Amino acid sequence: MSLGPWQLIIIAIVILVLFGRGRISEMMGDFGKGIKSFKQGMNEEDAAPSKRIEHEAKPADEGLTKDQVNTPSDTK
């Protein structure tokens, strides 16, 4: 079931009556500002050099003595 042009016009009129012309234009303005802000954020992210933290992971038991290393023990 698709919407025809008359159904779309009726829906638009109902929305206009419920919200009023001022409120709809205000919402669309806020929506446009949100999109603009999102695009600016995406552009700033692309322009900024990526900061990556690079480090080498060391084994957990490196630098520990045998007494400090937990070894599984069988207690059966």
Side-chain angles (χ1 to χ4, degrees):
M1 183 173 122
S2 65
L3 294 175
W6 287 108
Q7 287 90 2
L8 292 175
I9 291 171
I10 292 172
I11 292 171
I13 290 172
V14 169
I15 290 173
L16 187 62
V17 167
L18 289 176
F19 293 106
R21 210 176 102 199
R23 179 70 180 140
I24 291 174
S25 64
E26 182 181 320
M27 286 190 306
M28 289 296 112
D30 291 343
F31 183 71
K33 287 178 187 175
I35 291 175
K36 186 176 181 180
S37 174
F38 177 76
K39 286 182 180 179
Q40 283 179 340
M42 293 298 291
N43 289 337
E44 288 174 4
E45 184 178 301
D46 291 342
S50 64
K51 296 179 183 177
R52 294 186 182 176
I53 299 173
E54 296 181 14
H55 65 281
E56 291 184 27
K58 296 179 182 177
D61 61 349
E62 184 178 291
L64 299 176
T65 64
K66 287 187 178 186
D67 297 336
Q68 294 172 328
V69 177
N70 292 334
T71 56
S73 59
D74 293 327
T75 57
K76 290 183 181 179

